[in-house]
PDB file of all heavy atoms in Angstrom:
ATOM      1  N   THR B  10      10.193 -15.460   2.292  1.00 64.00           N
ATOM      2  CA  THR B  10       9.216 -14.429   1.922  1.00 64.00           C
ATOM      3  C   THR B  10       8.286 -14.249   3.042  1.00 64.00           C
ATOM      4  O   THR B  10       7.692 -15.215   3.560  1.00 64.00           O
ATOM      5  CB  THR B  10       8.475 -14.837   0.663  1.00 64.00           C
ATOM      6  OG1 THR B  10       9.406 -15.056  -0.409  1.00 64.00           O
ATOM      7  CG2 THR B  10       7.480 -13.763   0.256  1.00 64.00           C
ATOM      8  N   GLN B  11       8.068 -12.964   3.425  1.00 71.00           N
ATOM      9  CA  GLN B  11       7.166 -12.706   4.520  1.00 71.00           C
ATOM     10  C   GLN B  11       5.730 -12.547   3.908  1.00 71.00           C
ATOM     11  O   GLN B  11       5.529 -11.884   2.900  1.00 71.00           O
ATOM     12  CB  GLN B  11       7.539 -11.406   5.237  1.00 71.00           C
ATOM     13  CG  GLN B  11       8.866 -11.528   5.966  1.00 71.00           C
ATOM     14  CD  GLN B  11       9.256 -10.176   6.549  1.00 71.00           C
ATOM     15  OE1 GLN B  11       9.161  -9.127   5.901  1.00 71.00           O
ATOM     16  NE2 GLN B  11       9.647 -10.191   7.825  1.00 71.00           N
ATOM     17  N   LEU B  12       4.789 -13.213   4.503  1.00 85.00           N
ATOM     18  CA  LEU B  12       3.367 -13.131   4.058  1.00 85.00           C
ATOM     19  C   LEU B  12       2.509 -12.571   5.192  1.00 85.00           C
ATOM     20  O   LEU B  12       2.741 -12.929   6.321  1.00 85.00           O
ATOM     21  CB  LEU B  12       2.873 -14.501   3.672  1.00 85.00           C
ATOM     22  CG  LEU B  12       3.572 -15.169   2.371  1.00 85.00           C
ATOM     23  CD1 LEU B  12       3.107 -16.514   2.167  1.00 85.00           C
ATOM     24  CD2 LEU B  12       3.267 -14.283   1.113  1.00 85.00           C
ATOM     25  N   LEU B  13       1.473 -11.870   4.803  1.00 92.00           N
ATOM     26  CA  LEU B  13       0.454 -11.410   5.697  1.00 92.00           C
ATOM     27  C   LEU B  13      -0.877 -11.813   5.258  1.00 92.00           C
ATOM     28  O   LEU B  13      -1.328 -11.573   4.157  1.00 92.00           O
ATOM     29  CB  LEU B  13       0.493  -9.852   5.803  1.00 92.00           C
ATOM     30  CG  LEU B  13       1.499  -9.193   6.756  1.00 92.00           C
ATOM     31  CD1 LEU B  13       1.523  -7.677   6.526  1.00 92.00           C
ATOM     32  CD2 LEU B  13       1.127  -9.512   8.212  1.00 92.00           C
ATOM     33  N   ASN B  33      -2.485 -11.672  10.097  1.00 95.00           N
ATOM     34  CA  ASN B  33      -1.644 -12.671  10.712  1.00 95.00           C
ATOM     35  C   ASN B  33      -0.478 -13.113   9.883  1.00 95.00           C
ATOM     36  O   ASN B  33      -0.594 -13.116   8.608  1.00 95.00           O
ATOM     37  CB  ASN B  33      -2.490 -13.963  11.007  1.00 95.00           C
ATOM     38  CG  ASN B  33      -3.598 -13.663  12.031  1.00 95.00           C
ATOM     39  OD1 ASN B  33      -3.333 -13.261  13.147  1.00 95.00           O
ATOM     40  ND2 ASN B  33      -4.809 -13.857  11.658  1.00 95.00           N
ATOM     41  N   SER B  34       0.610 -13.447  10.492  1.00 92.00           N
ATOM     42  CA  SER B  34       1.787 -13.882   9.796  1.00 92.00           C
ATOM     43  C   SER B  34       2.553 -14.854  10.682  1.00 92.00           C
ATOM     44  O   SER B  34       2.452 -14.891  11.896  1.00 92.00           O
ATOM     45  CB  SER B  34       2.677 -12.667   9.420  1.00 92.00           C
ATOM     46  OG  SER B  34       3.851 -13.071   8.829  1.00 92.00           O
ATOM     47  N   SER B  35       3.459 -15.625  10.020  1.00 90.00           N
ATOM     48  CA  SER B  35       4.391 -16.454  10.739  1.00 90.00           C
ATOM     49  C   SER B  35       5.690 -15.735  10.952  1.00 90.00           C
ATOM     50  O   SER B  35       6.587 -16.274  11.625  1.00 90.00           O
ATOM     51  CB  SER B  35       4.609 -17.802   9.998  1.00 90.00           C
ATOM     52  OG  SER B  35       5.124 -17.514   8.704  1.00 90.00           O
ATOM     53  N   SER B  36       5.804 -14.580  10.415  1.00 89.00           N
ATOM     54  CA  SER B  36       7.079 -13.795  10.545  1.00 89.00           C
ATOM     55  C   SER B  36       6.918 -12.719  11.550  1.00 89.00           C
ATOM     56  O   SER B  36       5.834 -12.185  11.777  1.00 89.00           O
ATOM     57  CB  SER B  36       7.384 -13.182   9.100  1.00 89.00           C
ATOM     58  OG  SER B  36       7.481 -14.104   8.136  1.00 89.00           O
ATOM     59  N   VAL B  37       8.031 -12.295  12.068  1.00 89.00           N
ATOM     60  CA  VAL B  37       8.067 -11.178  13.013  1.00 89.00           C
ATOM     61  C   VAL B  37       8.298  -9.879  12.262  1.00 89.00           C
ATOM     62  O   VAL B  37       9.178  -9.802  11.345  1.00 89.00           O
ATOM     63  CB  VAL B  37       9.180 -11.360  14.025  1.00 89.00           C
ATOM     64  CG1 VAL B  37       9.279 -10.144  14.917  1.00 89.00           C
ATOM     65  CG2 VAL B  37       8.948 -12.628  14.878  1.00 89.00           C
ATOM     66  N   PHE B  38       7.566  -8.836  12.541  1.00 88.00           N
ATOM     67  CA  PHE B  38       7.719  -7.545  11.901  1.00 88.00           C
ATOM     68  C   PHE B  38       8.195  -6.539  12.965  1.00 88.00           C
ATOM     69  O   PHE B  38       7.813  -6.540  14.093  1.00 88.00           O
ATOM     70  CB  PHE B  38       6.363  -7.052  11.301  1.00 88.00           C
ATOM     71  CG  PHE B  38       5.993  -7.905  10.135  1.00 88.00           C
ATOM     72  CD1 PHE B  38       5.036  -8.943  10.251  1.00 88.00           C
ATOM     73  CD2 PHE B  38       6.538  -7.694   8.834  1.00 88.00           C
ATOM     74  CE1 PHE B  38       4.622  -9.710   9.190  1.00 88.00           C
ATOM     75  CE2 PHE B  38       6.116  -8.459   7.739  1.00 88.00           C
ATOM     76  CZ  PHE B  38       5.211  -9.465   7.917  1.00 88.00           C
ATOM     77  N   SER B  39       9.042  -5.559  12.454  1.00 86.00           N
ATOM     78  CA  SER B  39       9.485  -4.492  13.386  1.00 86.00           C
ATOM     79  C   SER B  39       8.346  -3.476  13.588  1.00 86.00           C
ATOM     80  O   SER B  39       8.380  -2.807  14.636  1.00 86.00           O
ATOM     81  CB  SER B  39      10.726  -3.798  12.772  1.00 86.00           C
ATOM     82  OG  SER B  39      10.416  -3.259  11.537  1.00 86.00           O
ATOM     83  N   LEU B  41       3.996  -2.588  12.133  1.00 92.00           N
ATOM     84  CA  LEU B  41       2.904  -2.940  11.361  1.00 92.00           C
ATOM     85  C   LEU B  41       2.023  -1.706  11.134  1.00 92.00           C
ATOM     86  O   LEU B  41       1.755  -1.014  12.112  1.00 92.00           O
ATOM     87  CB  LEU B  41       2.078  -4.076  11.927  1.00 92.00           C
ATOM     88  CG  LEU B  41       1.298  -4.863  10.917  1.00 92.00           C
ATOM     89  CD1 LEU B  41       1.384  -6.347  11.086  1.00 92.00           C
ATOM     90  CD2 LEU B  41      -0.154  -4.438  10.946  1.00 92.00           C
ATOM     91  N   PHE B  74      -1.201  -4.682  18.315  1.00 95.00           N
ATOM     92  CA  PHE B  74      -0.152  -5.433  17.763  1.00 95.00           C
ATOM     93  C   PHE B  74       0.084  -6.613  18.739  1.00 95.00           C
ATOM     94  O   PHE B  74       0.110  -6.413  19.935  1.00 95.00           O
ATOM     95  CB  PHE B  74       1.130  -4.551  17.747  1.00 95.00           C
ATOM     96  CG  PHE B  74       2.191  -4.981  16.803  1.00 95.00           C
ATOM     97  CD1 PHE B  74       2.016  -5.917  15.847  1.00 95.00           C
ATOM     98  CD2 PHE B  74       3.469  -4.360  16.870  1.00 95.00           C
ATOM     99  CE1 PHE B  74       2.984  -6.301  14.903  1.00 95.00           C
ATOM    100  CE2 PHE B  74       4.461  -4.657  15.924  1.00 95.00           C
ATOM    101  CZ  PHE B  74       4.244  -5.637  15.023  1.00 95.00           C
ATOM    102  N   ALA B  77       4.006 -11.093  20.131  1.00 93.00           N
ATOM    103  CA  ALA B  77       5.138 -11.601  19.403  1.00 93.00           C
ATOM    104  C   ALA B  77       5.405 -10.812  18.136  1.00 93.00           C
ATOM    105  O   ALA B  77       6.304 -11.176  17.414  1.00 93.00           O
ATOM    106  CB  ALA B  77       4.919 -13.080  19.099  1.00 93.00           C
ATOM    107  N   ARG B  78       4.656  -9.750  17.893  1.00 90.00           N
ATOM    108  CA  ARG B  78       4.785  -8.906  16.679  1.00 90.00           C
ATOM    109  C   ARG B  78       4.676  -9.671  15.418  1.00 90.00           C
ATOM    110  O   ARG B  78       5.294  -9.412  14.415  1.00 90.00           O
ATOM    111  CB  ARG B  78       6.141  -8.135  16.740  1.00 90.00           C
ATOM    112  CG  ARG B  78       6.108  -7.085  17.860  1.00 90.00           C
ATOM    113  CD  ARG B  78       7.402  -6.300  17.804  1.00 90.00           C
ATOM    114  NE  ARG B  78       8.577  -7.018  18.174  1.00 90.00           N
ATOM    115  CZ  ARG B  78       9.737  -6.957  17.533  1.00 90.00           C
ATOM    116  NH1 ARG B  78       9.894  -6.173  16.508  1.00 90.00           N
ATOM    117  NH2 ARG B  78      10.760  -7.693  17.926  1.00 90.00           N
ATOM    118  N   LYS B  79       3.762 -10.702  15.454  1.00 92.00           N
ATOM    119  CA  LYS B  79       3.456 -11.428  14.226  1.00 92.00           C
ATOM    120  C   LYS B  79       2.057 -11.201  13.734  1.00 92.00           C
ATOM    121  O   LYS B  79       1.703 -11.617  12.580  1.00 92.00           O
ATOM    122  CB  LYS B  79       3.623 -12.933  14.460  1.00 92.00           C
ATOM    123  CG  LYS B  79       5.030 -13.384  14.811  1.00 92.00           C
ATOM    124  CD  LYS B  79       5.061 -14.915  14.987  1.00 92.00           C
ATOM    125  CE  LYS B  79       6.433 -15.381  15.265  1.00 92.00           C
ATOM    126  NZ  LYS B  79       6.480 -16.911  15.391  1.00 92.00           N
ATOM    127  N   ASP B  80       1.251 -10.540  14.498  1.00 93.00           N
ATOM    128  CA  ASP B  80      -0.159 -10.341  14.107  1.00 93.00           C
ATOM    129  C   ASP B  80      -0.667  -9.080  14.613  1.00 93.00           C
ATOM    130  O   ASP B  80      -0.135  -8.436  15.582  1.00 93.00           O
ATOM    131  CB  ASP B  80      -1.006 -11.523  14.568  1.00 93.00           C
ATOM    132  CG  ASP B  80      -0.863 -11.728  16.100  1.00 93.00           C
ATOM    133  OD1 ASP B  80      -1.616 -11.066  16.810  1.00 93.00           O
ATOM    134  OD2 ASP B  80      -0.032 -12.545  16.479  1.00 93.00           O
ATOM    135  N   GLY B 102       9.874  -5.245   8.116  1.00 73.00           N
ATOM    136  CA  GLY B 102      10.678  -6.199   8.775  1.00 73.00           C
ATOM    137  C   GLY B 102      12.086  -5.751   9.089  1.00 73.00           C
ATOM    138  O   GLY B 102      12.904  -5.620   8.123  1.00 73.00           O
TER     139      GLY B 102
END
Side-chain angles (χ1 to χ4, degrees):
Chain B
T10 302
Q11 295 177 313
L12 294 175
L13 274 171
N33 296 302
S34 176
S35 58
S36 303
V37 175
F38 292 98
S39 61
L41 201 136
F74 202 11
R78 292 186 290 137
K79 293 182 179 181
D80 55 86

